[in-house]
Amino acid sequence: MELWDFFQNEVLGMQWLSRGIGALLSGAGLDGSGRIGGSVQFFLYDTIKITILLCVLIFLVSYIQSYFPPERSRRILGRFKGLGANTVSALLGTVTPFCSCSSIPLFMGFTGAGLPLGVTFSFLISSPMVDLGSLVLLMSIFGARVAVIYVVTGLVIAAAGGSLIQRLHMEDQVEPFVRTAVCAGSDAPTLTRRQRLTWAREQMLGTLKSVFPYILVGVGVGALIHNWIPQDWVTSLLGRDNPLGVVLATLVGIPMYADIFGTIPVAEALLAKGALLGTVLSFMMAVTTLSLPSLIMLRKAVRPRLLAVFVAICTAGILLVGCLFNLLAPYLI
């Protein structure tokens, strides 16, 4: 247990970094317990920690992903039927890009290649909600039990949601250009190890460049909440006294656009201010899965009826997860 605590606190949580930044700020005359000093420490610590984790995670995930280009992924999914296919599709979503907008082109390619619609939707739900990055980052903030249960429930939502869409037989709700598209891609075995490493490094740098502004915004908002917003405000809106906290957090999260790396510092600050665990996780899932830009992109590929079913399934799943974690929170943290 001591070894695991060290791994979680010092390796994933990087508490050594927090102590080091605190010492530097103290030497510069800033009080880390004050509003200004606390804000500066929160901003520096979370920005550096998340950036390091992001680079390591994306490099590793991209290397794994090099073995699963679209065409090979399509062949793997084509071997399974029924709920098994939805489950494998949801699992495959964990090693794909980190935001919903980048998952939509793959969803379109899989659909155009002839995979069942429910299977492709399981992938589309899972990819932004429960990627490997979310598992590691959640472990660094909330602990292993919360992270594992979060990922498992997300996979259940993805598999069940895709299965429901398959049973509704809504293939006619996909735009014609998507159904006739061709899923292109080369097979990974033709790549050498050096080429895979180079590709993973390029993916890491490209993703870092695209998401770093969201990290800065997310950490900035988190620092503001953590050190300037009165705890009573957060508790009254997102604490136990508000039975609609999960609904409010979900509705607030939908219009936003960020990935897991941008929402983590906001979630961390909200939890520290008295928000319930499930409420915070609902906010994160709404931002990463149902962001307004991703819904606009998805509308170009599917018709309003299917889009509405997708939103309803995701929203119901997010609300259920939020309520579940609020009930389990005393036993998890």
Side-chain angles (χ1 to χ4, degrees):
M1 182 62 69
E2 291 182 359
L3 182 60
W4 174 254
D5 290 341
F6 175 83
F7 176 75
Q8 182 172 312
N9 296 328
E10 300 297 329
V11 178
L12 294 180
M14 299 186 194
Q15 292 300 314
W16 55 269
L17 177 63
S18 179
R19 293 191 297 269
I21 293 174
L24 288 175
L25 293 178
S26 179
L30 278 177
D31 181 10
S33 61
R35 282 188 171 181
I36 296 178
S39 297
V40 173
Q41 179 166 355
F42 185 99
F43 185 85
L44 292 176
Y45 165 63
D46 266 43
T47 299
I48 297 172
K49 179 185 72 173
I50 291 174
T51 301
I52 292 174
L53 288 174
L54 180 147
C55 290
V56 173
L57 286 169
I58 293 182
F59 183 86
L60 293 176
V61 171
S62 296
Y63 186 81
I64 295 172
Q65 192 183 344
S66 70
Y67 289 91
F68 299 96
E71 180 59 26
R72 185 176 184 184
S73 300
R74 183 194 66 79
R75 290 202 303 268
I76 292 173
L77 292 176
R79 299 171 186 170
F80 297 88
K81 303 296 181 183
L83 184 60
N86 293 102
T87 303
V88 173
S89 181
L91 288 170
L92 186 63
T94 64
V95 292
T96 52
F98 292 96
C99 72
S100 51
C101 287
S102 56
S103 303
I104 292 174
L106 287 174
F107 156 78
M108 293 168 62
F110 290 156
T111 303
L115 288 175
L117 185 63
V119 172
T120 61
F121 264 96
S122 288
F123 168 84
L124 184 62
I125 296 170
S126 167
S127 182
M129 186 183 290
V130 291
D131 55 62
L132 294 178
S134 66
L135 175 62
V136 176
L137 281 173
L138 286 168
M139 287 176 63
S140 72
I141 301 298
F142 304 118
R145 286 182 295 180
V146 172
V148 171
I149 296 175
Y150 173 88
V151 170
V152 171
T153 52
L155 289 173
V156 170
I157 292 171
S163 298
L164 177 59
I165 288 176
Q166 189 66 38
R167 290 179 178 274
L168 293 176
H169 301 292
M170 304 185 72
E171 286 76 12
D172 62 333
Q173 294 297 303
V174 178
E175 295 293 349
F177 80 91
V178 175
R179 294 197 298 268
T180 57
V182 177
C183 184
S186 59
D187 283 334
T190 61
L191 299 177
T192 65
R193 177 176 296 181
R194 180 182 295 273
Q195 288 172 326
R196 294 185 196 281
L197 292 172
T198 300
W199 186 79
R201 179 177 61 84
E202 292 172 351
Q203 289 291 104
M204 178 193 71
L205 294 175
T207 304
L208 177 62
K209 182 179 179 180
S210 64
V211 306
F212 192 69
Y214 297 107
I215 293 176
L216 294 179
V217 172
V219 175
V221 172
L224 177 67
I225 294 172
H226 193 272
N227 295 282
W228 295 88
I229 302 298
Q231 183 167 342
D232 292 343
W233 292 9
V234 177
T235 303
S236 63
L237 289 174
L238 304 177
R240 294 190 180 278
D241 293 336
N242 186 0
L244 298 179
V246 171
V247 177
L248 177 61
T250 303
L251 293 177
V252 170
I254 290 176
M256 300 182 181
Y257 175 67
D259 56 23
I260 189 71
F261 299 101
T263 58
I264 280 286
V266 179
E268 181 183 9
L270 288 172
L271 191 67
K273 282 291 184 178
L276 295 181
L277 175 62
T279 304
V280 169
L281 293 179
S282 292
F283 168 77
M284 290 175 53
M285 296 175 84
V287 172
T288 56
T289 309
L290 291 176
S291 66
L292 191 58
S294 68
L295 294 180
I296 293 173
M297 285 185 62
L298 185 58
R299 170 60 187 91
K300 297 182 181 298
V302 303
R303 293 173 178 169
R305 183 179 160 206
L306 179 53
L307 181 64
V309 170
F310 169 76
V311 171
I313 289 173
C314 291
T315 302
I318 290 170
L319 294 176
L320 287 173
V321 168
C323 294
L324 173 65
F325 271 94
N326 280 345
L327 291 173
L328 296 178
Y331 309 101
L332 297 175
I333 58 176

Tab-separated table of all heavy atoms in Angstrom, residues 188-217:
chain	number	residue	atom	x	y	z
A	188	ALA	N	-0.590	-1.008	-40.244
A	188	ALA	CA	0.530	-0.659	-39.387
A	188	ALA	C	1.726	-1.590	-39.512
A	188	ALA	O	2.844	-1.130	-39.343
A	188	ALA	CB	0.061	-0.607	-37.937
A	189	PRO	N	1.585	-2.903	-39.784
A	189	PRO	CA	2.764	-3.761	-39.816
A	189	PRO	C	3.820	-3.325	-40.818
A	189	PRO	O	4.955	-3.778	-40.744
A	189	PRO	CB	2.183	-5.142	-40.185
A	189	PRO	CG	0.797	-5.099	-39.644
A	189	PRO	CD	0.337	-3.676	-39.879
A	190	THR	N	3.489	-2.490	-41.808
A	190	THR	CA	4.478	-2.015	-42.759
A	190	THR	C	5.399	-0.974	-42.142
A	190	THR	O	6.420	-0.635	-42.741
A	190	THR	CB	3.782	-1.407	-43.987
A	190	THR	OG1	2.980	-0.292	-43.563
A	190	THR	CG2	2.891	-2.433	-44.665
A	191	LEU	N	5.080	-0.466	-40.968
A	191	LEU	CA	5.905	0.541	-40.318
A	191	LEU	C	6.992	-0.122	-39.480
A	191	LEU	O	6.770	-1.148	-38.842
A	191	LEU	CB	5.052	1.432	-39.405
A	191	LEU	CG	3.933	2.233	-40.061
A	191	LEU	CD1	3.145	2.986	-38.994
A	191	LEU	CD2	4.486	3.195	-41.096
A	192	THR	N	8.171	0.473	-39.496
A	192	THR	CA	9.240	0.001	-38.629
A	192	THR	C	9.067	0.604	-37.239
A	192	THR	O	8.275	1.534	-37.042
A	192	THR	CB	10.605	0.403	-39.196
A	192	THR	OG1	10.709	1.839	-39.171
A	192	THR	CG2	10.769	-0.092	-40.629
A	193	ARG	N	9.817	0.095	-36.277
A	193	ARG	CA	9.727	0.646	-34.922
A	193	ARG	C	10.146	2.101	-34.909
A	193	ARG	O	9.515	2.928	-34.227
A	193	ARG	CB	10.613	-0.152	-33.969
A	193	ARG	CG	10.613	0.410	-32.555
A	193	ARG	CD	11.415	-0.440	-31.609
A	193	ARG	NE	10.826	-1.765	-31.448
A	193	ARG	CZ	11.334	-2.700	-30.650
A	193	ARG	NH1	12.437	-2.477	-29.969
A	193	ARG	NH2	10.728	-3.869	-30.546
A	194	ARG	N	11.178	2.434	-35.662
A	194	ARG	CA	11.613	3.832	-35.718
A	194	ARG	C	10.518	4.722	-36.294
A	194	ARG	O	10.282	5.832	-35.811
A	194	ARG	CB	12.895	3.955	-36.550
A	194	ARG	CG	13.426	5.385	-36.673
A	194	ARG	CD	14.674	5.436	-37.540
A	194	ARG	NE	15.770	4.717	-36.904
A	194	ARG	CZ	16.596	5.275	-36.024
A	194	ARG	NH1	16.432	6.551	-35.678
A	194	ARG	NH2	17.571	4.575	-35.502
A	195	GLN	N	9.828	4.241	-37.325
A	195	GLN	CA	8.743	5.022	-37.919
A	195	GLN	C	7.587	5.196	-36.941
A	195	GLN	O	6.967	6.264	-36.876
A	195	GLN	CB	8.260	4.343	-39.201
A	195	GLN	CG	9.236	4.439	-40.360
A	195	GLN	CD	8.806	3.602	-41.549
A	195	GLN	OE1	8.218	2.530	-41.392
A	195	GLN	NE2	9.109	4.083	-42.753
A	196	ARG	N	7.300	4.165	-36.176
A	196	ARG	CA	6.245	4.282	-35.170
A	196	ARG	C	6.613	5.306	-34.106
A	196	ARG	O	5.778	6.114	-33.687
A	196	ARG	CB	5.991	2.928	-34.511
A	196	ARG	CG	5.422	1.875	-35.437
A	196	ARG	CD	5.094	0.616	-34.640
A	196	ARG	NE	4.902	-0.519	-35.520
A	196	ARG	CZ	3.781	-0.758	-36.209
A	196	ARG	NH1	2.767	0.073	-36.087
A	196	ARG	NH2	3.681	-1.810	-36.994
A	197	LEU	N	7.855	5.267	-33.647
A	197	LEU	CA	8.311	6.214	-32.636
A	197	LEU	C	8.277	7.640	-33.175
A	197	LEU	O	7.877	8.578	-32.476
A	197	LEU	CB	9.725	5.859	-32.172
A	197	LEU	CG	9.852	4.559	-31.370
A	197	LEU	CD1	11.322	4.214	-31.144
A	197	LEU	CD2	9.120	4.670	-30.040
A	198	THR	N	8.683	7.801	-34.436
A	198	THR	CA	8.644	9.132	-35.051
A	198	THR	C	7.215	9.631	-35.185
A	198	THR	O	6.907	10.795	-34.897
A	198	THR	CB	9.313	9.093	-36.440
A	198	THR	OG1	10.675	8.677	-36.300
A	198	THR	CG2	9.273	10.468	-37.100
A	199	TRP	N	6.325	8.742	-35.614
A	199	TRP	CA	4.919	9.124	-35.757
A	199	TRP	C	4.312	9.480	-34.410
A	199	TRP	O	3.558	10.447	-34.292
A	199	TRP	CB	4.140	7.971	-36.393
A	199	TRP	CG	2.716	8.308	-36.706
A	199	TRP	CD1	2.247	9.019	-37.774
A	199	TRP	CD2	1.557	7.961	-35.919
A	199	TRP	NE1	0.878	9.127	-37.717
A	199	TRP	CE2	0.435	8.498	-36.598
A	199	TRP	CE3	1.373	7.256	-34.742
A	199	TRP	CZ2	-0.856	8.335	-36.119
A	199	TRP	CZ3	0.082	7.094	-34.253
A	199	TRP	CH2	-1.012	7.624	-34.940
A	200	ALA	N	4.648	8.691	-33.369
A	200	ALA	CA	4.134	8.975	-32.031
A	200	ALA	C	4.634	10.327	-31.536
A	200	ALA	O	3.885	11.090	-30.916
A	200	ALA	CB	4.548	7.867	-31.062
A	201	ARG	N	5.896	10.642	-31.804
A	201	ARG	CA	6.430	11.942	-31.384
A	201	ARG	C	5.717	13.082	-32.115
A	201	ARG	O	5.369	14.103	-31.501
A	201	ARG	CB	7.931	12.006	-31.671
A	201	ARG	CG	8.588	13.329	-31.281
A	201	ARG	CD	10.077	13.283	-31.535
A	201	ARG	NE	10.366	13.057	-32.938
A	201	ARG	CZ	10.406	14.042	-33.858
A	201	ARG	NH1	10.159	15.297	-33.502
A	201	ARG	NH2	10.688	13.762	-35.105
A	202	GLU	N	5.466	12.912	-33.418
A	202	GLU	CA	4.763	13.944	-34.174
A	202	GLU	C	3.339	14.128	-33.668
A	202	GLU	O	2.839	15.260	-33.573
A	202	GLU	CB	4.764	13.581	-35.661
A	202	GLU	CG	6.147	13.637	-36.299
A	202	GLU	CD	6.146	13.097	-37.719
A	202	GLU	OE1	5.108	12.518	-38.131
A	202	GLU	OE2	7.173	13.250	-38.412
A	203	GLN	N	2.670	13.011	-33.334
A	203	GLN	CA	1.324	13.097	-32.779
A	203	GLN	C	1.333	13.829	-31.435
A	203	GLN	O	0.452	14.642	-31.146
A	203	GLN	CB	0.744	11.698	-32.601
A	203	GLN	CG	0.398	11.003	-33.897
A	203	GLN	CD	-0.787	11.646	-34.593
A	203	GLN	OE1	-0.621	12.376	-35.581
A	203	GLN	NE2	-1.970	11.426	-34.086
A	204	MET	N	2.329	13.527	-30.617
A	204	MET	CA	2.434	14.165	-29.309
A	204	MET	C	2.604	15.676	-29.459
A	204	MET	O	1.898	16.463	-28.814
A	204	MET	CB	3.623	13.593	-28.542
A	204	MET	CG	3.869	14.224	-27.181
A	204	MET	SD	5.476	13.765	-26.497
A	204	MET	CE	6.590	14.684	-27.585
A	205	LEU	N	3.521	16.087	-30.337
A	205	LEU	CA	3.772	17.519	-30.512
A	205	LEU	C	2.561	18.214	-31.133
A	205	LEU	O	2.204	19.330	-30.734
A	205	LEU	CB	5.012	17.727	-31.395
A	205	LEU	CG	6.341	17.244	-30.790
A	205	LEU	CD1	7.474	17.399	-31.801
A	205	LEU	CD2	6.657	18.022	-29.518
A	206	GLY	N	1.935	17.561	-32.111
A	206	GLY	CA	0.766	18.169	-32.743
A	206	GLY	C	-0.396	18.311	-31.780
A	206	GLY	O	-1.082	19.342	-31.750
A	207	THR	N	-0.630	17.273	-30.967
A	207	THR	CA	-1.716	17.337	-29.989
A	207	THR	C	-1.427	18.363	-28.915
A	207	THR	O	-2.313	19.111	-28.500
A	207	THR	CB	-1.939	15.954	-29.350
A	207	THR	OG1	-2.195	14.992	-30.379
A	207	THR	CG2	-3.124	15.994	-28.389
A	208	LEU	N	-0.173	18.405	-28.452
A	208	LEU	CA	0.199	19.394	-27.442
A	208	LEU	C	-0.051	20.810	-27.954
A	208	LEU	O	-0.585	21.665	-27.222
A	208	LEU	CB	1.667	19.227	-27.059
A	208	LEU	CG	2.226	20.249	-26.067
A	208	LEU	CD1	1.497	20.153	-24.737
A	208	LEU	CD2	3.728	20.045	-25.877
A	209	LYS	N	0.309	21.050	-29.194
A	209	LYS	CA	0.103	22.377	-29.776
A	209	LYS	C	-1.373	22.737	-29.837
A	209	LYS	O	-1.763	23.893	-29.581
A	209	LYS	CB	0.718	22.428	-31.178
A	209	LYS	CG	0.593	23.787	-31.857
A	209	LYS	CD	1.245	23.768	-33.234
A	209	LYS	CE	1.094	25.118	-33.929
A	209	LYS	NZ	1.729	25.112	-35.292
A	210	SER	N	-2.216	21.766	-30.136
A	210	SER	CA	-3.645	22.060	-30.305
A	210	SER	C	-4.384	22.181	-28.972
A	210	SER	O	-5.335	22.943	-28.863
A	210	SER	CB	-4.305	20.980	-31.176
A	210	SER	OG	-4.254	19.726	-30.533
A	211	VAL	N	-3.960	21.419	-27.951
A	211	VAL	CA	-4.723	21.417	-26.698
A	211	VAL	C	-4.106	22.306	-25.617
A	211	VAL	O	-4.778	22.586	-24.608
A	211	VAL	CB	-4.879	19.993	-26.130
A	211	VAL	CG1	-5.477	19.063	-27.167
A	211	VAL	CG2	-3.558	19.440	-25.615
A	212	PHE	N	-2.868	22.758	-25.806
A	212	PHE	CA	-2.233	23.540	-24.747
A	212	PHE	C	-3.016	24.799	-24.385
A	212	PHE	O	-3.109	25.148	-23.193
A	212	PHE	CB	-0.794	23.898	-25.133
A	212	PHE	CG	0.010	24.448	-23.991
A	212	PHE	CD1	0.373	23.638	-22.927
A	212	PHE	CD2	0.391	25.777	-23.967
A	212	PHE	CE1	1.101	24.142	-21.863
A	212	PHE	CE2	1.123	26.292	-22.912
A	212	PHE	CZ	1.473	25.469	-21.856
A	213	PRO	N	-3.595	25.515	-25.366
A	213	PRO	CA	-4.427	26.668	-24.968
A	213	PRO	C	-5.580	26.282	-24.050
A	213	PRO	O	-5.915	27.036	-23.125
A	213	PRO	CB	-4.941	27.208	-26.312
A	213	PRO	CG	-3.911	26.781	-27.312
A	213	PRO	CD	-3.461	25.432	-26.835
A	214	TYR	N	-6.192	25.111	-24.287
A	214	TYR	CA	-7.282	24.670	-23.423
A	214	TYR	C	-6.769	24.323	-22.033
A	214	TYR	O	-7.475	24.503	-21.032
A	214	TYR	CB	-7.991	23.468	-24.044
A	214	TYR	CG	-8.651	23.778	-25.363
A	214	TYR	CD1	-8.121	23.310	-26.559
A	214	TYR	CD2	-9.801	24.552	-25.417
A	214	TYR	CE1	-8.725	23.593	-27.770
A	214	TYR	CE2	-10.413	24.846	-26.618
A	214	TYR	CZ	-9.868	24.363	-27.796
A	214	TYR	OH	-10.459	24.652	-28.992
A	215	ILE	N	-5.552	23.793	-21.962
A	215	ILE	CA	-4.963	23.512	-20.650
A	215	ILE	C	-4.793	24.807	-19.874
A	215	ILE	O	-5.135	24.888	-18.687
A	215	ILE	CB	-3.602	22.797	-20.813
A	215	ILE	CG1	-3.797	21.404	-21.405
A	215	ILE	CG2	-2.877	22.693	-19.469
A	215	ILE	CD1	-2.501	20.673	-21.677
A	216	LEU	N	-4.260	25.831	-20.532
A	216	LEU	CA	-4.044	27.113	-19.855
A	216	LEU	C	-5.369	27.705	-19.376
A	216	LEU	O	-5.464	28.208	-18.248
A	216	LEU	CB	-3.337	28.089	-20.793
A	216	LEU	CG	-1.896	27.731	-21.188
A	216	LEU	CD1	-1.337	28.779	-22.134
A	216	LEU	CD2	-1.009	27.610	-19.952
A	217	VAL	N	-6.396	27.635	-20.233
A	217	VAL	CA	-7.703	28.161	-19.842
A	217	VAL	C	-8.269	27.344	-18.683
A	217	VAL	O	-8.770	27.900	-17.694
A	217	VAL	CB	-8.675	28.153	-21.035
A	217	VAL	CG1	-10.091	28.504	-20.576
A	217	VAL	CG2	-8.212	29.130	-22.104
